[in-house]
Short mmCIF file of all heavy atoms in Angstrom, two decimals:
data_model
loop_
_atom_site.label_atom_id
_atom_site.label_comp_id
_atom_site.label_asym_id
_atom_site.label_seq_id
_atom_site.Cartn_x
_atom_site.Cartn_y
_atom_site.Cartn_z
N VAL A 1098 -6.38 3.14 8.67
CA VAL A 1098 -7.32 3.85 9.50
C VAL A 1098 -7.49 5.27 9.01
O VAL A 1098 -8.70 5.70 8.89
CB VAL A 1098 -6.87 3.83 10.97
CG1 VAL A 1098 -7.70 4.83 11.79
CG2 VAL A 1098 -7.03 2.43 11.60
N ILE A 1099 -6.44 5.93 8.75
CA ILE A 1099 -6.49 7.35 8.28
C ILE A 1099 -7.12 7.46 6.92
O ILE A 1099 -8.07 8.31 6.67
CB ILE A 1099 -5.10 7.97 8.28
CG1 ILE A 1099 -4.57 8.02 9.76
CG2 ILE A 1099 -5.15 9.36 7.63
CD1 ILE A 1099 -3.09 8.39 9.88
N ASN A 1100 -6.71 6.63 5.96
CA ASN A 1100 -7.16 6.78 4.56
C ASN A 1100 -8.52 6.10 4.30
O ASN A 1100 -9.36 6.62 3.66
CB ASN A 1100 -6.10 6.19 3.61
CG ASN A 1100 -4.81 7.03 3.68
OD1 ASN A 1100 -4.88 8.21 3.76
ND2 ASN A 1100 -3.73 6.29 3.58
N LYS A 1101 -8.68 4.87 4.79
CA LYS A 1101 -9.85 4.09 4.50
C LYS A 1101 -11.01 4.42 5.45
O LYS A 1101 -12.18 4.23 5.02
CB LYS A 1101 -9.53 2.60 4.52
CG LYS A 1101 -8.46 2.17 3.49
CD LYS A 1101 -8.87 2.54 2.07
CE LYS A 1101 -7.82 2.06 1.04
NZ LYS A 1101 -8.20 2.34 -0.33
N THR A 1102 -10.74 4.78 6.64
CA THR A 1102 -11.85 5.10 7.53
C THR A 1102 -12.60 6.29 7.06
O THR A 1102 -13.84 6.40 7.16
CB THR A 1102 -11.31 5.30 9.01
OG1 THR A 1102 -10.67 4.16 9.50
CG2 THR A 1102 -12.44 5.57 9.98
N ASN A 1103 -11.88 7.21 6.58
CA ASN A 1103 -12.53 8.40 5.96
C ASN A 1103 -13.54 7.96 4.87
O ASN A 1103 -14.66 8.44 4.78
CB ASN A 1103 -11.54 9.41 5.35
CG ASN A 1103 -11.00 10.39 6.37
OD1 ASN A 1103 -11.42 10.38 7.53
ND2 ASN A 1103 -10.05 11.17 5.94
N THR A 1104 -13.07 7.02 4.03
CA THR A 1104 -13.94 6.54 2.95
C THR A 1104 -15.17 5.75 3.56
O THR A 1104 -16.33 5.96 3.07
CB THR A 1104 -13.13 5.50 2.09
OG1 THR A 1104 -12.00 6.22 1.47
CG2 THR A 1104 -14.03 4.96 0.98
N VAL A 1105 -14.93 4.93 4.54
CA VAL A 1105 -16.06 4.22 5.16
C VAL A 1105 -17.01 5.19 5.80
O VAL A 1105 -18.26 5.07 5.60
CB VAL A 1105 -15.51 3.28 6.25
CG1 VAL A 1105 -16.68 2.58 6.97
CG2 VAL A 1105 -14.67 2.16 5.58
N ILE A 1106 -16.54 6.18 6.56
CA ILE A 1106 -17.51 7.14 7.22
C ILE A 1106 -18.23 7.94 6.14
O ILE A 1106 -19.41 8.16 6.34
CB ILE A 1106 -16.62 8.11 8.12
CG1 ILE A 1106 -15.99 7.33 9.32
CG2 ILE A 1106 -17.49 9.26 8.65
CD1 ILE A 1106 -15.11 8.18 10.12
N ILE A 1107 -17.54 8.40 5.18
CA ILE A 1107 -18.25 9.20 4.01
C ILE A 1107 -19.33 8.27 3.41
O ILE A 1107 -20.40 8.81 3.13
CB ILE A 1107 -17.25 9.67 3.02
CG1 ILE A 1107 -16.28 10.72 3.57
CG2 ILE A 1107 -17.91 10.22 1.78
CD1 ILE A 1107 -15.12 11.06 2.72
N GLY A 1108 -19.02 7.04 3.18
CA GLY A 1108 -20.03 6.13 2.57
C GLY A 1108 -21.24 5.96 3.45
O GLY A 1108 -22.34 5.94 2.99
N ILE A 1109 -21.03 5.80 4.76
CA ILE A 1109 -22.14 5.59 5.73
C ILE A 1109 -22.91 6.83 6.01
O ILE A 1109 -24.15 6.78 6.06
CB ILE A 1109 -21.59 4.95 7.04
CG1 ILE A 1109 -21.01 3.54 6.78
CG2 ILE A 1109 -22.67 4.89 8.07
CD1 ILE A 1109 -20.28 2.90 7.92
N VAL A 1110 -22.22 7.91 6.15
CA VAL A 1110 -22.81 9.20 6.59
C VAL A 1110 -23.29 10.06 5.43
O VAL A 1110 -24.42 10.59 5.52
CB VAL A 1110 -21.91 9.99 7.51
CG1 VAL A 1110 -22.48 11.36 7.91
CG2 VAL A 1110 -21.51 9.19 8.76
N LEU A 1111 -22.53 10.11 4.43
CA LEU A 1111 -22.85 11.10 3.28
C LEU A 1111 -23.44 10.46 2.10
O LEU A 1111 -24.24 11.03 1.40
CB LEU A 1111 -21.56 11.84 2.91
CG LEU A 1111 -20.92 12.68 4.02
CD1 LEU A 1111 -19.68 13.40 3.54
CD2 LEU A 1111 -21.94 13.78 4.58
N GLY A 1112 -22.95 9.23 1.77
CA GLY A 1112 -23.51 8.52 0.58
C GLY A 1112 -22.50 8.01 -0.41
O GLY A 1112 -21.35 8.43 -0.31
N TYR A 1113 -22.87 7.17 -1.32
CA TYR A 1113 -21.98 6.51 -2.28
C TYR A 1113 -21.39 7.49 -3.29
O TYR A 1113 -20.28 7.31 -3.74
CB TYR A 1113 -22.63 5.37 -2.90
CG TYR A 1113 -23.06 4.26 -1.96
CD1 TYR A 1113 -24.32 3.75 -1.95
CD2 TYR A 1113 -22.08 3.67 -1.15
CE1 TYR A 1113 -24.63 2.73 -1.05
CE2 TYR A 1113 -22.39 2.60 -0.28
CZ TYR A 1113 -23.69 2.19 -0.24
OH TYR A 1113 -24.02 1.15 0.61
N THR A 1114 -22.17 8.53 -3.63
CA THR A 1114 -21.64 9.49 -4.65
C THR A 1114 -20.47 10.25 -4.06
O THR A 1114 -19.46 10.45 -4.78
CB THR A 1114 -22.79 10.49 -5.00
OG1 THR A 1114 -23.85 9.80 -5.60
CG2 THR A 1114 -22.22 11.55 -5.99
N GLU A 1115 -20.60 10.65 -2.76
CA GLU A 1115 -19.48 11.32 -2.15
C GLU A 1115 -18.21 10.42 -2.00
O GLU A 1115 -17.13 10.84 -2.09
CB GLU A 1115 -19.88 11.84 -0.77
CG GLU A 1115 -20.72 13.08 -0.78
CD GLU A 1115 -22.20 12.77 -1.18
OE1 GLU A 1115 -22.52 11.56 -1.25
OE2 GLU A 1115 -22.96 13.68 -1.37
N VAL A 1116 -18.58 9.12 -1.85
CA VAL A 1116 -17.44 8.11 -1.75
C VAL A 1116 -16.71 8.04 -3.09
O VAL A 1116 -15.46 8.05 -3.13
CB VAL A 1116 -18.01 6.66 -1.47
CG1 VAL A 1116 -16.92 5.67 -1.74
CG2 VAL A 1116 -18.40 6.62 -0.07
N SER A 1117 -17.42 8.15 -4.21
CA SER A 1117 -16.75 8.16 -5.53
C SER A 1117 -15.94 9.39 -5.75
O SER A 1117 -14.91 9.30 -6.36
CB SER A 1117 -17.82 7.97 -6.62
OG SER A 1117 -18.68 9.17 -6.67
N TYR A 1118 -16.37 10.54 -5.22
CA TYR A 1118 -15.57 11.74 -5.34
C TYR A 1118 -14.24 11.65 -4.50
O TYR A 1118 -13.20 12.03 -4.98
CB TYR A 1118 -16.38 12.99 -4.84
CG TYR A 1118 -17.54 13.39 -5.66
CD1 TYR A 1118 -18.60 14.05 -5.13
CD2 TYR A 1118 -17.67 13.02 -7.01
CE1 TYR A 1118 -19.76 14.43 -5.93
CE2 TYR A 1118 -18.68 13.37 -7.81
CZ TYR A 1118 -19.77 14.04 -7.23
OH TYR A 1118 -20.83 14.44 -7.98
N TYR A 1119 -14.42 11.20 -3.27
CA TYR A 1119 -13.28 11.03 -2.39
C TYR A 1119 -12.31 10.03 -2.90
O TYR A 1119 -11.09 10.20 -2.88
CB TYR A 1119 -13.77 10.66 -0.98
CG TYR A 1119 -12.72 10.85 0.10
CD1 TYR A 1119 -12.44 12.03 0.74
CD2 TYR A 1119 -11.88 9.77 0.45
CE1 TYR A 1119 -11.51 12.22 1.70
CE2 TYR A 1119 -10.94 9.92 1.40
CZ TYR A 1119 -10.77 11.09 2.04
OH TYR A 1119 -9.77 11.26 2.97
N ASP A 1120 -12.84 8.94 -3.46
CA ASP A 1120 -12.04 7.86 -4.00
C ASP A 1120 -11.24 8.33 -5.23
O ASP A 1120 -10.08 8.01 -5.46
CB ASP A 1120 -12.92 6.70 -4.47
CG ASP A 1120 -12.14 5.59 -5.17
OD1 ASP A 1120 -11.39 4.89 -4.51
OD2 ASP A 1120 -12.38 5.46 -6.41
N LEU A 1121 -11.82 9.21 -6.03
CA LEU A 1121 -11.14 9.79 -7.20
C LEU A 1121 -9.91 10.61 -6.70
O LEU A 1121 -8.79 10.44 -7.24
CB LEU A 1121 -12.03 10.64 -8.05
CG LEU A 1121 -11.36 11.34 -9.25
CD1 LEU A 1121 -10.76 10.28 -10.16
CD2 LEU A 1121 -12.36 12.22 -10.00
N GLY A 1122 -10.06 11.37 -5.61
CA GLY A 1122 -8.98 12.17 -5.04
C GLY A 1122 -7.92 11.24 -4.57
O GLY A 1122 -6.68 11.45 -4.74
N GLN A 1123 -8.31 10.13 -3.86
CA GLN A 1123 -7.37 9.17 -3.28
C GLN A 1123 -6.65 8.47 -4.48
O GLN A 1123 -5.41 8.15 -4.35
CB GLN A 1123 -8.09 8.16 -2.45
CG GLN A 1123 -8.58 8.72 -1.12
CD GLN A 1123 -7.47 8.85 -0.09
OE1 GLN A 1123 -6.39 9.46 -0.37
NE2 GLN A 1123 -7.64 8.41 1.04
N LYS A 1124 -7.30 8.16 -5.55
CA LYS A 1124 -6.74 7.47 -6.63
C LYS A 1124 -5.61 8.33 -7.32
O LYS A 1124 -4.52 7.91 -7.62
CB LYS A 1124 -7.77 7.11 -7.74
CG LYS A 1124 -8.41 5.76 -7.51
CD LYS A 1124 -9.31 5.41 -8.65
CE LYS A 1124 -9.72 3.92 -8.58
NZ LYS A 1124 -10.35 3.54 -7.35
N ILE A 1125 -5.98 9.64 -7.48
CA ILE A 1125 -4.97 10.48 -8.08
C ILE A 1125 -3.77 10.78 -7.18
O ILE A 1125 -2.63 10.77 -7.65
CB ILE A 1125 -5.67 11.92 -8.42
CG1 ILE A 1125 -6.68 11.64 -9.56
CG2 ILE A 1125 -4.56 12.95 -8.92
CD1 ILE A 1125 -7.50 12.89 -9.91
N LEU A 1126 -4.06 10.85 -5.90
CA LEU A 1126 -2.92 10.93 -4.89
C LEU A 1126 -2.05 9.69 -4.97
O LEU A 1126 -0.85 9.76 -4.92
CB LEU A 1126 -3.49 11.16 -3.51
CG LEU A 1126 -2.47 11.11 -2.25
CD1 LEU A 1126 -1.45 12.25 -2.53
CD2 LEU A 1126 -3.20 11.22 -1.01
N SER A 1127 -2.69 8.52 -5.08
CA SER A 1127 -1.98 7.26 -5.18
C SER A 1127 -1.08 7.21 -6.40
O SER A 1127 0.06 6.72 -6.35
CB SER A 1127 -2.84 6.06 -5.16
OG SER A 1127 -3.67 6.02 -3.97
N VAL A 1128 -1.61 7.75 -7.51
CA VAL A 1128 -0.82 7.79 -8.74
C VAL A 1128 0.41 8.75 -8.55
O VAL A 1128 1.53 8.38 -8.92
CB VAL A 1128 -1.74 8.29 -9.89
CG1 VAL A 1128 -0.79 8.63 -11.14
CG2 VAL A 1128 -2.74 7.29 -10.29
N LEU A 1129 0.24 9.85 -7.84
CA LEU A 1129 1.33 10.71 -7.63
C LEU A 1129 2.33 10.20 -6.68
O LEU A 1129 3.55 10.52 -6.76
CB LEU A 1129 0.78 12.03 -7.06
CG LEU A 1129 -0.18 12.88 -7.85
CD1 LEU A 1129 -0.57 14.17 -7.12
CD2 LEU A 1129 0.42 13.26 -9.24
N LEU A 1130 1.93 9.26 -5.80
CA LEU A 1130 2.88 8.67 -4.87
C LEU A 1130 3.63 7.50 -5.43
O LEU A 1130 4.55 7.00 -4.78
CB LEU A 1130 2.16 8.23 -3.64
CG LEU A 1130 1.59 9.39 -2.68
CD1 LEU A 1130 0.70 8.80 -1.61
CD2 LEU A 1130 2.67 10.18 -2.10
N ILE A 1131 3.20 6.98 -6.54
CA ILE A 1131 3.87 5.82 -7.17
C ILE A 1131 5.43 5.98 -7.23
O ILE A 1131 6.13 5.07 -6.88
CB ILE A 1131 3.23 5.48 -8.57
CG1 ILE A 1131 1.87 4.77 -8.39
CG2 ILE A 1131 4.18 4.61 -9.38
CD1 ILE A 1131 1.15 4.53 -9.66
N PRO A 1132 5.92 7.06 -7.83
CA PRO A 1132 7.40 7.12 -7.93
C PRO A 1132 8.13 7.12 -6.60
O PRO A 1132 9.28 6.59 -6.51
CB PRO A 1132 7.58 8.45 -8.67
CG PRO A 1132 6.35 9.26 -8.56
CD PRO A 1132 5.29 8.28 -8.47
N PHE A 1133 7.44 7.63 -5.55
CA PHE A 1133 8.16 7.68 -4.27
C PHE A 1133 8.13 6.31 -3.61
O PHE A 1133 9.06 5.96 -2.95
CB PHE A 1133 7.47 8.76 -3.34
CG PHE A 1133 7.31 10.09 -4.06
CD1 PHE A 1133 6.08 10.55 -4.50
CD2 PHE A 1133 8.42 10.82 -4.36
CE1 PHE A 1133 5.97 11.76 -5.13
CE2 PHE A 1133 8.37 12.05 -5.00
CZ PHE A 1133 7.09 12.50 -5.45
N ASP A 1134 7.04 5.61 -3.80
CA ASP A 1134 6.99 4.26 -3.27
C ASP A 1134 8.00 3.35 -4.00
O ASP A 1134 8.62 2.54 -3.39
CB ASP A 1134 5.52 3.69 -3.44
CG ASP A 1134 5.43 2.31 -2.83
OD1 ASP A 1134 5.84 2.06 -1.77
OD2 ASP A 1134 4.78 1.42 -3.50
N LEU A 1135 8.09 3.59 -5.29
CA LEU A 1135 9.06 2.81 -6.12
C LEU A 1135 10.48 3.10 -5.63
O LEU A 1135 11.26 2.15 -5.37
CB LEU A 1135 8.91 3.32 -7.53
CG LEU A 1135 9.76 2.62 -8.68
CD1 LEU A 1135 9.04 2.91 -9.99
CD2 LEU A 1135 11.16 3.28 -8.76
N ILE A 1136 10.86 4.31 -5.40
CA ILE A 1136 12.18 4.68 -5.00
C ILE A 1136 12.49 4.09 -3.58
O ILE A 1136 13.49 3.49 -3.27
CB ILE A 1136 12.43 6.20 -4.93
CG1 ILE A 1136 12.32 6.78 -6.33
CG2 ILE A 1136 13.81 6.57 -4.32
CD1 ILE A 1136 12.22 8.26 -6.40
N ASN A 1137 11.47 4.14 -2.69
CA ASN A 1137 11.61 3.64 -1.36
C ASN A 1137 11.88 2.12 -1.36
O ASN A 1137 12.72 1.61 -0.62
CB ASN A 1137 10.41 3.99 -0.56
CG ASN A 1137 10.48 3.59 0.93
OD1 ASN A 1137 10.11 2.47 1.35
ND2 ASN A 1137 11.01 4.45 1.73
N GLN A 1138 11.07 1.40 -2.15
CA GLN A 1138 11.20 -0.04 -2.23
C GLN A 1138 12.62 -0.44 -2.76
O GLN A 1138 13.21 -1.45 -2.28
CB GLN A 1138 10.17 -0.66 -3.05
CG GLN A 1138 8.77 -0.64 -2.56
CD GLN A 1138 7.80 -1.40 -3.43
OE1 GLN A 1138 7.92 -2.54 -3.72
NE2 GLN A 1138 6.70 -0.73 -3.87
N VAL A 1139 13.10 0.31 -3.75
CA VAL A 1139 14.34 -0.04 -4.36
C VAL A 1139 15.53 0.21 -3.45
O VAL A 1139 16.46 -0.59 -3.38
CB VAL A 1139 14.50 0.73 -5.76
CG1 VAL A 1139 15.92 0.59 -6.23
CG2 VAL A 1139 13.50 0.17 -6.76
N ILE A 1140 15.57 1.37 -2.84
CA ILE A 1140 16.75 1.77 -2.00
C ILE A 1140 16.71 1.11 -0.65
O ILE A 1140 17.80 1.05 0.02
CB ILE A 1140 16.93 3.24 -1.89
CG1 ILE A 1140 15.88 3.85 -0.95
CG2 ILE A 1140 16.86 3.94 -3.25
CD1 ILE A 1140 16.15 5.32 -0.57
N TYR A 1141 15.55 0.59 -0.15
CA TYR A 1141 15.45 0.14 1.25
C TYR A 1141 16.49 -1.02 1.51
O TYR A 1141 17.24 -0.94 2.59
CB TYR A 1141 14.07 -0.33 1.60
CG TYR A 1141 13.90 -0.90 2.94
CD1 TYR A 1141 13.91 0.02 4.04
CD2 TYR A 1141 13.74 -2.20 3.22
CE1 TYR A 1141 13.72 -0.45 5.35
CE2 TYR A 1141 13.61 -2.70 4.49
CZ TYR A 1141 13.63 -1.78 5.56
OH TYR A 1141 13.50 -2.27 6.84
N PRO A 1142 16.60 -2.11 0.71
CA PRO A 1142 17.58 -3.11 1.02
C PRO A 1142 19.01 -2.56 1.00
O PRO A 1142 19.84 -2.95 1.83
CB PRO A 1142 17.41 -4.14 -0.14
CG PRO A 1142 16.03 -3.89 -0.57
CD PRO A 1142 15.76 -2.43 -0.48
N LYS A 1143 19.34 -1.62 0.10
CA LYS A 1143 20.67 -1.03 0.05
C LYS A 1143 20.96 -0.23 1.31
O LYS A 1143 22.01 -0.37 1.91
CB LYS A 1143 20.78 -0.14 -1.15
CG LYS A 1143 22.12 0.68 -1.25
CD LYS A 1143 22.03 1.64 -2.48
CE LYS A 1143 23.27 2.55 -2.55
NZ LYS A 1143 24.48 1.81 -2.80
N VAL A 1144 19.98 0.55 1.75
CA VAL A 1144 20.22 1.41 2.94
C VAL A 1144 20.22 0.51 4.20
O VAL A 1144 21.01 0.83 5.15
CB VAL A 1144 19.07 2.47 3.05
CG1 VAL A 1144 19.26 3.26 4.37
CG2 VAL A 1144 19.10 3.41 1.86
N ALA A 1145 19.44 -0.56 4.21
CA ALA A 1145 19.43 -1.47 5.34
C ALA A 1145 20.80 -2.06 5.51
O ALA A 1145 21.20 -2.31 6.69
CB ALA A 1145 18.37 -2.59 5.11
N ARG A 1146 21.52 -2.37 4.42
CA ARG A 1146 22.90 -2.93 4.55
C ARG A 1146 23.94 -1.90 4.81
O ARG A 1146 24.76 -2.10 5.66
CB ARG A 1146 23.21 -3.64 3.22
CG ARG A 1146 22.47 -4.96 3.01
CD ARG A 1146 23.09 -5.73 1.83
NE ARG A 1146 23.44 -4.91 0.72
CZ ARG A 1146 22.58 -4.72 -0.30
NH1 ARG A 1146 21.36 -5.24 -0.29
NH2 ARG A 1146 22.90 -3.97 -1.37
N GLU A 1147 23.91 -0.79 4.10
CA GLU A 1147 24.97 0.20 4.23
C GLU A 1147 24.76 1.29 5.21
O GLU A 1147 25.70 1.92 5.67
CB GLU A 1147 25.18 0.77 2.77
CG GLU A 1147 25.49 -0.18 1.75
CD GLU A 1147 25.57 0.37 0.34
OE1 GLU A 1147 25.45 1.62 0.23
OE2 GLU A 1147 25.85 -0.36 -0.58
N LYS A 1148 23.51 1.57 5.53
CA LYS A 1148 23.16 2.69 6.47
C LYS A 1148 23.82 4.01 6.08
O LYS A 1148 24.29 4.74 6.94
CB LYS A 1148 23.54 2.31 7.93
CG LYS A 1148 22.78 1.12 8.41
CD LYS A 1148 23.19 0.73 9.83
CE LYS A 1148 22.30 -0.34 10.45
NZ LYS A 1148 22.31 -1.59 9.69
N ASN A 1149 23.76 4.28 4.77
CA ASN A 1149 24.33 5.47 4.26
C ASN A 1149 23.31 6.60 4.32
O ASN A 1149 22.56 6.76 3.38
CB ASN A 1149 24.82 5.28 2.81
CG ASN A 1149 25.61 6.44 2.23
OD1 ASN A 1149 25.49 7.55 2.73
ND2 ASN A 1149 26.36 6.13 1.12
N MET A 1150 23.40 7.47 5.32
CA MET A 1150 22.43 8.53 5.52
C MET A 1150 22.69 9.68 4.59
O MET A 1150 21.75 10.52 4.25
CB MET A 1150 22.45 9.03 6.96
CG MET A 1150 21.95 7.96 7.95
SD MET A 1150 20.19 7.55 7.62
CE MET A 1150 20.34 5.83 7.08
N TYR A 1151 23.91 9.88 4.08
CA TYR A 1151 24.19 10.87 3.10
C TYR A 1151 23.44 10.59 1.77
O TYR A 1151 22.80 11.44 1.19
CB TYR A 1151 25.67 10.92 2.78
CG TYR A 1151 26.06 11.93 1.68
CD1 TYR A 1151 26.00 13.31 1.90
CD2 TYR A 1151 26.50 11.45 0.44
CE1 TYR A 1151 26.34 14.21 0.86
CE2 TYR A 1151 26.81 12.36 -0.53
CZ TYR A 1151 26.74 13.68 -0.30
OH TYR A 1151 27.06 14.58 -1.37
N PHE A 1152 23.39 9.32 1.44
CA PHE A 1152 22.61 8.89 0.32
C PHE A 1152 21.10 9.14 0.49
O PHE A 1152 20.47 9.61 -0.44
CB PHE A 1152 22.84 7.40 0.06
CG PHE A 1152 21.98 6.81 -1.01
CD1 PHE A 1152 22.17 7.13 -2.37
CD2 PHE A 1152 21.07 5.91 -0.73
CE1 PHE A 1152 21.47 6.50 -3.35
CE2 PHE A 1152 20.26 5.27 -1.69
CZ PHE A 1152 20.44 5.60 -3.02
N VAL A 1153 20.64 8.86 1.68
CA VAL A 1153 19.22 9.15 2.03
C VAL A 1153 18.82 10.63 1.89
O VAL A 1153 17.81 10.96 1.45
CB VAL A 1153 18.83 8.51 3.42
CG1 VAL A 1153 17.44 8.88 3.79
CG2 VAL A 1153 19.03 7.05 3.44
N ARG A 1154 19.75 11.47 2.42
CA ARG A 1154 19.46 12.87 2.44
C ARG A 1154 19.36 13.37 0.90
O ARG A 1154 18.47 14.22 0.61
CB ARG A 1154 20.58 13.66 3.06
CG ARG A 1154 20.66 13.50 4.59
CD ARG A 1154 21.42 14.66 5.28
NE ARG A 1154 22.84 14.74 4.78
CZ ARG A 1154 23.85 14.05 5.31
NH1 ARG A 1154 23.60 13.28 6.43
NH2 ARG A 1154 25.13 14.23 4.88
N LYS A 1155 20.19 12.92 0.10
CA LYS A 1155 20.13 13.29 -1.35
C LYS A 1155 18.85 12.79 -1.95
O LYS A 1155 18.17 13.51 -2.73
CB LYS A 1155 21.31 12.69 -2.08
CG LYS A 1155 22.63 13.29 -1.74
CD LYS A 1155 23.72 12.99 -2.80
CE LYS A 1155 24.03 11.56 -2.89
NZ LYS A 1155 25.09 11.23 -3.84
#
Side-chain angles (χ1 to χ4, degrees):
V1098 166
I1099 293 166
N1100 295 322
K1101 299 302 181 180
T1102 301
N1103 274 358
T1104 302
V1105 173
I1106 293 174
I1107 290 170
I1109 293 173
V1110 176
L1111 300 179
Y1113 295 126
T1114 297
E1115 286 75 10
V1116 168
S1117 65
Y1118 293 155
Y1119 193 86
D1120 174 70
L1121 179 58
Q1123 290 283 49
K1124 270 187 169 55
I1125 293 176
L1126 174 61
S1127 297
V1128 169
L1129 297 182
L1130 290 173
I1131 281 174
F1133 309 109
D1134 183 44
L1135 183 158
I1136 296 169
N1137 185 270
Q1138 287 186 59
V1139 168
I1140 73 167
Y1141 180 73
K1143 175 184 173 69
V1144 177
R1146 291 194 310 271
E1147 301 176 2
K1148 297 181 173 60
N1149 186 343
M1150 291 299 112
Y1151 175 71
F1152 174 69
V1153 174
R1154 288 201 302 269
K1155 290 196 298 183

